[in-house]
Amino acid sequence: GSNEILCSLLLGFGQMAMMTGYYGSSNVLQSVFRSVNVRDPSRIDVHAGYYGQSIIYGAYTIANLFTPTAVTVLGSKKMLVIGSSLFTLYLVSFFYLNSYTFYLCAGLMGVGYAIFYSGHSAYLAEHSSRASVERNSALVLSAACWSLIVGGGVLLAASLLTPPTTNAPLTTKIYRDFSTNEILLMFAATASISFISNVLFCKLPTSVGPDSLIYTSPKPKLPFFKSVYLMVDTLMQPRLLLLSFYFLSMGLLNGFILGVFPTSFAFTKCLSSFRFLPALAMMTIGFGDVVMGLLLSFLSRRIRNFGLIYSISIGMVLLSISFFLIYLMIPEMAFVRPTDEPARYIEPTVPLCLLVSFLIGTADACVMTARTVISAVAMPERRDQVFAVSKLYQSLSSAVMFFTAPAMTVSSFIFLLGGSCIVGTASYFYVVSMTNCAKVR
């Protein structure tokens, strides 16, 4: 009914506001901390941007094992409020930036990440019927998927409202320097938008209709140790062991898109003068995500198994083109430190960077769609556990990648990403063939 639609839209817009704050910061995090470290080395580590995101995903991985059982104790609405509040706390910590507060708040945000998503799925089930769950899920997703575009807009506004720094130390002259005022304005904006999500979640309706999924399709409430056992048992199933390669590759890709690739814009000398490039690239990735998401939704209704087979094939082709262009144009050390090294073969330009950003965004929509579909069909009787396992592997590989990022070159990143995508895709199609054979029998 109309109440379900209102709940879905509030949930979607709340998620958009919360993730806008996070995406708006993660895109430039390593570049920002480099600027802070150059001005005051004792304040925070030069690679704190990568290490902080490693802590976020590491805490999320661990908390994900426990938060699903907390829903029965706290309820979905309180979970959403607590989870989104920890996101806002993380962004507020940038006003008092130092190693201790940042790493502590990063860990708390990782826990908040897990709390939020456990509450998110529970709230959606409570306020959907069997007939409306697909529509409501689509409404939530359509609102939430604008996070990258809005986050890029916030970064762009912060850059437009602050003049280029003119008194940066000499060591910062060859890369994009973020002034103190620009950093404060950027995180004031992202924290304010994140706070909107806190307010929206506090105002969420709590009344549950008689045709809610929690009544018509109730899930058994398992004891804590029983649910942990079921999770571990799902992890050890042959199909999930095979799919782990695919889920791990998605985590590497997610970290690369959000934190590593955008860093090269600030650290590459010939690109560093384009102050608005990180914001424009973020908006372009989001635009590619939205466009491909709409196209996949249209084609999936008309072509059988499109989301299962064709979407991952298209995604891997787009990723191959993107990785090849990045290898050709980004200097070897541009993911780690400022560099004036020449490009290998192609001089990087703003249009070329935006083209790669668009390709990455479209590819991301393809592989995420494939993840959702394979999670549903690989083990239908344990659909929720499979999806939780996929997030577990994804966050774990993101955490490891960010932790090792300061020691990796462009070549090593491309080799790691390309190799993991090949192995992951091969394991994905093998599981699809196993699933099809099981259906035939």
Side-chain angles (χ1 to χ4, degrees), residues 60 64 68 231 375 383-393:
Y60 173 65
N64 222 20
M231 186 81 160
S375 296
R383 185 176 304 178
D384 292 341
Q385 285 79 17
V386 173
F387 191 73
V389 166
S390 75
K391 292 195 294 181
L392 193 71
Y393 279 122

Side-chain angles (χ1 to χ4, degrees), residues 49 71 82 93 110 119 140 157 204 225 234 236 269 303 316 330 363 391 429 435:
V71 177
I82 293 170
S93 72
V140 172
L204 284 175
F225 289 106
T234 305
M236 300 308 294
K269 184 177 182 180
I303 302 175
M316 290 305 157
I330 301 297
K391 292 195 294 181
F429 278 115
T435 305

Side-chain angles (χ1 to χ4, degrees), residues 20-33 35 91-92 94-95 151-162 176-194 275 278-279 282:
T20 291
Y22 173 58
Y23 290 153
S25 64
S26 65
N27 191 265
V28 295
L29 205 58
Q30 179 56 30
S31 311
V32 164
F33 281 123
S35 296
L91 294 169
V92 169
F94 284 81
F95 291 101
V154 171
L155 286 184
L156 183 62
S159 298
L160 287 170
L161 292 172
T162 52
R176 165 76 161 89
D177 182 64
F178 288 83
S179 67
T180 301
N181 287 340
E182 185 174 2
I183 294 170
L184 290 175
L185 181 60
M186 188 188 309
F187 287 98
T190 53
S192 299
I193 293 172
S194 184
R275 297 178 65 236
M282 186 176 177

Side-chain angles (χ1 to χ4, degrees), residues 378-436:
M379 294 178 65
E381 71 283 3
R382 296 191 185 182
R383 185 176 304 178
D384 292 341
Q385 285 79 17
V386 173
F387 191 73
V389 166
S390 75
K391 292 195 294 181
L392 193 71
Y393 279 122
Q394 187 174 333
S395 57
L396 178 63
S397 60
S398 293
V400 173
M401 191 209 68
F402 277 122
F403 185 76
T404 58
M408 296 180 68
T409 63
V410 170
S411 297
S412 57
F413 263 113
I414 298 302
F415 179 79
L416 176 64
L417 290 165
S420 67
C421 286
I422 291 170
V423 175
T425 305
S427 66
Y428 177 97
F429 278 115
Y430 187 72
V431 172
V432 169
S433 67
M434 290 172 65
T435 305
N436 291 336

Side-chain angles (χ1 to χ4, degrees), residues 30-42:
Q30 179 56 30
S31 311
V32 164
F33 281 123
R34 181 88 191 191
S35 296
V36 174
N37 174 267
V38 165
R39 286 192 284 269
D40 186 358
S42 63

